[in-house]
Each structure stands twice: as C-alpha cells, then as structure tokens.
C-alpha cells in the first residue's frame, strides 16, 4: 500500500507497525526519528496537490487535527480518506486498531497490547484539580471531551474546565489564577511551554511541565505515557 498520514501520532503508529507503507507525512511528524518520506506541509495546511502527486491508496487523518476542506478536496480527487475521532483513551485504542488494519497490518502489534496494559489500572483515588493551558496569547485551556483531559483524569488529575461548553475555551489569565487549582499543567505542544515561558504567569501555584507527545498523541507513546506523565506531575514545583 501507499499511505499518506496527516496526523503525527498516526504516522508513528503506522511506521512502527507496517514499515514501508508510508510515502508522505506532515512537517510535524517527528517520530520515528529519521522517517524518510515526502513532507506535504502542516496538519492544518497540507499541500493537497503534493499529496495527490504521491498517488496514495489511503490518506489517514483526524477530525480535530485536520481541516474539513482539505479532506473534501482529497475525496473529490477520488482519494480514500480515513478519518479518526479520539476523545478518550479506550477510543484511541479502537481507532488505532482500525487505522492499522486499513494500512495492511496483518496482526495486532505488540506495542498496542503493551499500551492497553499500561492503561488498564484503576485511576488513583487521590485527586488534584488542574488547569491545563495549551496556548497563550490568547490563553486557551483544555475543556470538555478531550483525549488529553481523559489521559489526565486517569492519572488522578481533574480539570477545572472539564464541564465547560467549549472543548478549548479561551480563559483570561486573571480567571485562571483566581481558580487556585492544585496544579497548573503546561505541555510543550501545541504551544511550547518551557521552564522560562509559562510558569512565571502562575506565581504561587504548583506547575508541572509535561511532554505534549505523551499527553496528546495516541500511538506507541501510549506505552510509556502513564509513567512519564506521572513522574512529571509528581515533580511539579512552585
């Protein structure tokens, strides 16, 4: 098969499971390291003509990460497009099964079994509240019905905005501070929060800098995500 991936986490999953089928991926597809395929632009602005020039049998996409007009243009050009929807961890495993089968995997990969095992434990009874910014200028946070929110909930972290009407609400910094959460969780993607960019806005609150790949990607990184994220949350500092 010839597959083009418009989703970084799916790129990693397919490359590790069905080597050789990927012929194109986005500029943001950073895993696995050294992936040698044609780059077709970003997740939000892929070069549709470049995708079509690769003559793919299948394009894999995500309803949240990719824009509907781009997917429509591919379908109108008679290209098959598989679109995933992932709002929680169990759904991620089901969608990964579906994608890998569509890409020609003959058996379920071991890493997927290992990832499910890693997430099979009961959530901690001890809970903390958190706000989870994903962007600044303007400030945006995780709201309702998100994969990353479910990941955190399974690690004992309850989002302050988990019941907000929007999935990624814009909230003023003053309001975020006023909520006085137990923890502020700052991932390094999609906005790249760092020790020097983000924590200073939440003086007096505990801040956890976490891996965006382990928080938001659904693929082989799910194997180590519980351990990596739990360690980062424990290391939260003022």
């Amino acid at each position: 098969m010839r597959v083009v991936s418009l989703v970084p986490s799916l790129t990693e999953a397919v490359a590790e499971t069905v080597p050789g089928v990927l012929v194109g991926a986005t500029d943001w597809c950073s895993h696995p390291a050294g992936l040698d395929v044609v780059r077709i632009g970003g997740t939000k602005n892929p070069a549709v003509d470049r995708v079509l020039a690769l003559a793919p049998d299948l394009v894999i996409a995500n309803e949240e990460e990719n824009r509907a007009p781009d997917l429509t243009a591919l379908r109108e050009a008679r290209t098959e497009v598989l679109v995933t929807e992932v709002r929680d961890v169990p759904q991620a495993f089901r969608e990964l099964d579906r994608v890998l089968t569509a890409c020609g995997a003959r058996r379920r990969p071991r890493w997927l079994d290992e990832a499910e095992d890693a997430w099979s434990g009961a959530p901690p009874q001890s809970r903390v509240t958190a706000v989870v910014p994903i962007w600044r200028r303007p400030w945006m946070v995780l709201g309702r019905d998100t994969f990353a929110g479910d990941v955190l909930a399974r690690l004992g972290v309850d989002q302050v905005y988990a019941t907000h009407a929007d999935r990624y609400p814009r909230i003023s910094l003053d309001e975020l501070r006023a909520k006085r959460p137990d923890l502020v969780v700052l991932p390094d993607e999609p906005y790249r929060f760092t020790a020097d960019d983000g924590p200073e806005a939440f003086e007096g609150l505990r801040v956890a800098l976490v891996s965006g790949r382990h928080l938001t990607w659904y693929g082989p990184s799910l194997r180590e995500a519980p351990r990596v994220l739990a360690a980062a949350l424990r290391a939260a500092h003022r």
Side-chain angles (χ1 to χ4, degrees), residues 110-135:
R110 178 178 296 179
W111 67 259
L112 191 51
D113 289 332
E114 293 172 348
E116 285 210 71
D117 287 344
W119 287 99
S120 62
Q125 293 186 341
S126 176
R127 316 291 297 180
V128 297
T129 61
V131 295
V132 189
I134 57 167
W135 203 260

Side-chain angles (χ1 to χ4, degrees), residues 37-58:
V37 297
V38 174
R39 301 295 173 159
I40 50 78
T43 58
K44 302 296 186 187
N45 58 345
V48 172
D49 58 345
R50 204 178 307 165
V51 174
L52 295 175
L54 292 170
D57 300 300
L58 180 67

Side-chain angles (χ1 to χ4, degrees), residues 142-166:
L142 291 184
R144 64 169 179 84
D145 196 23
T146 66
F147 172 73
D150 187 59
V151 165
L152 290 172
R154 292 169 186 273
L155 297 174
V157 178
D158 296 322
Q159 296 177 75
V160 171
Y161 293 98
T163 59
H164 195 281
D166 298 329

Side-chain angles (χ1 to χ4, degrees), residues 3-236:
V3 177
V4 172
S5 173
L6 304 182
V7 185
S9 54
L10 294 180
T11 296
E12 183 179 16
V14 172
E16 183 161 330
T17 307
V18 199
V21 305
L22 283 174
V23 294
T26 76
D27 299 343
W28 297 103
C29 293
S30 56
H31 289 73
L35 180 66
D36 185 16
V37 297
V38 174
R39 301 295 173 159
I40 50 78
T43 58
K44 302 296 186 187
N45 58 345
V48 172
D49 58 345
R50 204 178 307 165
V51 174
L52 295 175
L54 292 170
D57 300 300
L58 180 67
V59 174
I60 50 179
N62 175 263
E63 51 89 27
E64 182 175 314
E65 292 194 52
N66 307 120
R67 299 185 319 123
D70 295 321
L71 305 184
T72 297
L74 291 168
R75 290 188 175 111
E76 289 178 347
R78 300 179 181 272
T79 298
E80 183 176 354
V81 181
L82 186 160
V83 182
T84 60
E85 178 180 332
V86 177
R87 303 295 175 89
D88 58 37
V89 173
Q91 189 178 29
F93 293 133
R94 294 193 298 271
E95 290 288 67
L96 284 165
D97 258 331
R98 186 165 73 101
V99 167
L100 296 175
T101 298
C103 290
R106 296 186 177 183
R107 60 183 63 86
R108 182 182 171 91
R110 178 178 296 179
W111 67 259
L112 191 51
D113 289 332
E114 293 172 348
E116 285 210 71
D117 287 344
W119 287 99
S120 62
Q125 293 186 341
S126 176
R127 316 291 297 180
V128 297
T129 61
V131 295
V132 189
I134 57 167
W135 203 260
R136 67 183 302 177
R137 307 183 191 95
W139 288 93
M140 299 175 66
V141 300
L142 291 184
R144 64 169 179 84
D145 196 23
T146 66
F147 172 73
D150 187 59
V151 165
L152 290 172
R154 292 169 186 273
L155 297 174
V157 178
D158 296 322
Q159 296 177 75
V160 171
Y161 293 98
T163 59
H164 195 281
D166 298 329
R167 298 183 65 221
Y168 302 102
R170 295 187 181 189
I171 308 292
S172 71
L173 182 57
D174 286 343
E175 180 179 331
L176 295 179
R177 290 170 174 158
K179 291 293 184 180
R180 303 301 298 175
D182 298 319
L183 193 61
V184 178
V185 179
L186 298 178
D188 60 10
E189 63 175 83
Y191 185 90
R192 187 172 179 78
F193 289 106
T194 68
D196 299 319
D197 185 355
E200 80 289 343
F202 299 96
E203 185 176 355
L205 296 174
R206 292 177 61 221
V207 175
L209 293 165
V210 303
S211 161
R213 175 169 168 261
H214 290 99
L215 179 61
T216 65
W217 287 33
Y218 50 99
S221 59
L222 285 170
R223 287 174 296 191
E224 67 267 13
R227 172 180 53 82
V228 171
L229 292 171
L233 294 171
R234 286 194 300 269

